[in-house]
Amino acid sequence: MCGLLTAGIVSAVLATASPLLTGRIVDALGHHAAPRTVVGLAVAVAVAGVAESGCDLISRTLSATIGEGLVLELRTELFDHLLRMPVSFYTETRTGALVSRLNTDVVTAQWAFVGTLSGAIFNIVTLVLILTVMAVISWPVTLLALLMAPVLVATTRQIMPRLRNLYHEAAELNADLGSHMTERFSAGGATLLKLFGRPEQESRQFTRRAEQVRRVAVRIGITQARFTVGLTTLSSLTIALVYGVGGYLAASGHLAPGAIVSLALLMMRLYPPLTSLTTARVDLTSALVSFERIFALLDLVPAITDKPGARQVPEGPVTVEFEDVRFGYPTRDSEAPADPEAAPADPAAVLNGVSLRAEPGEITALVGTSGAGKSTIAALVSRLYDTDEGTVRLSGIDVRDLSAASIRETVGVVPQDGHLFHDTIRANLLLARPDAGDDQLWQALTRARLRDTVLAMPEGLDTVVGDRGYRLSGGERQRLTIARLLLQQPRVVILDEATAALDAVNEAAVHAAIVEILRGRTALVIAHRMSTITAADQILVLHDGLVVERGRHHELIATGRHYTRLHKAG
């Protein structure tokens, strides 16, 4: 930063040299000086110009280096902070809005901070030097030239609040448009639109949003154009004033002709930094909007964090316990990041006092109608959410006292709709175990009955699976998520109907692999098809957020209650 400021100051000093040397050339010609003198002054003008350009190049290079470094640091800090936010944050926030802040807002803030800040220092030094030199040449002319300054200040004070509001509106509308496109251009979103076939309506919605962005952008452009034209007009009038008053003084013998030329050239160099300093408020206004949007995220405190001195899950088999657990999801309906100062929304109760115990080496099945709380129990074990009341324990330790890294190593989940990144098969598998070699990857694929399918692909492990894995069939996607779990080898396994997308042949094959990995581990199996959990060691029936029945298959069938009805229906 010091180098940037030094280069700017040297450039500002050189900016006053050329006008003074040009004035001396005019005076030399008027006094019929020797040609060698005129040529020497011309060479000095050229040297000053080249040196000024060199300083400007150095300044721009340093500005770009510092600016991009700031972008990297700010973007990385924001990205890391967002990774620490809980899942509930992402259910309340539109993806496009976050992408907009990581891209558009970070870059806007960077350019305003580096470009405007370094430019402001350079412009202030230039302004002071030029005014000092002009006052030395002729303070009356300098004073008259500054009479236009109050008009400039008044115009700026009037226009800044308007531009600030416009920039804020533009940022919100652009984020909304980005979110709209992100949703529509995902593989799932595009498929949904194709299935319902409403391109005309979608086009109208997009056009309406884009028109709002255009309208605000035009208003910003017109406001800035009026401001710039006003400054240019003011500059032209002031230069005319310098020529008029200076010419009168020169004709009266009070000022040399070369001084008039120097004053005019200095005045021409005065208004660019003066204009930049004035419009810097416009740039800073835009930057402040971006900074507000960035720090609105950075100021959010993650609801789920590691306690100081967080513990590790003890070695060996793991017992999962729920003790009178109550939990409800927030009912907030927001398309923008939650306001940290907003009052918390009332939760919608899902669990109303659940107690259970899952032992190592046993399969505990969770059954119930949709919305009974089965997947919520899985999310609480993984500590994707914290309970409202009650305690979840792993090996007798409250999950809130365990480190997030230890929980991730201990608990493995295969959700019903296994998510895959738009990346290679290899990269999606390595999420579970980054240091795994190809032999281990192929072994996991073999156990998930996916090896032959991947071998048949031209690029093998380097095959890109597409957005959310849409280049694979439903069964292939699910088997890939099962292979990822097999590679992780967790001590607690949660299966959320992991074989739902498989045909009968593949389901039987994968079930054999699942039985193998479940051996000796604690297993929670969320079942929608009752036939898949008849051999479970313990079946828990959930209804209205409570465990209303528990036992083995034959015991529950004999009661003729909830489980019997579910079994007949499924």
Side-chain angles (χ1 to χ4, degrees), residues 1-122:
M1 196 69 180
C2 291
L4 175 62
L5 297 178
T6 300
I9 291 171
V10 173
S11 181
V13 172
L14 292 171
T16 63
S18 293
L20 293 176
L21 290 171
T22 303
R24 293 192 61 184
I25 290 175
V26 172
D27 287 338
L29 291 173
H31 291 90
H32 304 290
R36 185 167 53 186
T37 302
V38 176
V39 172
L41 290 170
V43 171
V45 171
V47 171
V50 172
E52 184 181 354
S53 298
C55 288
D56 185 53
L57 177 61
I58 293 172
S59 178
R60 290 175 183 271
T61 302
L62 292 175
S63 178
T65 303
I66 295 171
E68 292 306 319
L70 179 64
V71 165
L72 176 62
E73 183 176 348
L74 189 57
R75 186 173 283 161
T76 302
E77 182 178 355
L78 184 56
F79 183 82
D80 291 345
H81 183 73
L82 290 174
L83 286 181
R84 293 192 292 270
M85 299 303 293
V87 172
S88 58
F89 169 81
Y90 295 98
T91 62
E92 301 167 8
T93 309
R94 297 184 71 173
T95 304
L98 297 180
V99 173
S100 174
R101 299 195 187 198
L102 275 166
N103 287 331
T104 306
D105 289 326
V106 167
V107 172
T108 301
Q110 171 257 321
W111 278 114
F113 180 78
V114 177
T116 304
L117 180 61
S118 61
I121 296 173
F122 163 74

Side-chain angles (χ1 to χ4, degrees), residues 100 166-179 208-217 219 293:
S100 174
L166 288 174
Y167 276 127
H168 195 280
E169 184 179 356
E172 295 295 334
L173 289 174
N174 274 298
D176 182 65
L177 184 64
S179 296
R208 177 176 55 80
R209 294 172 186 264
E211 174 61 26
Q212 290 175 330
V213 172
R214 184 200 69 83
R215 189 180 302 115
V216 173
R219 289 167 61 192
R293 288 164 55 81

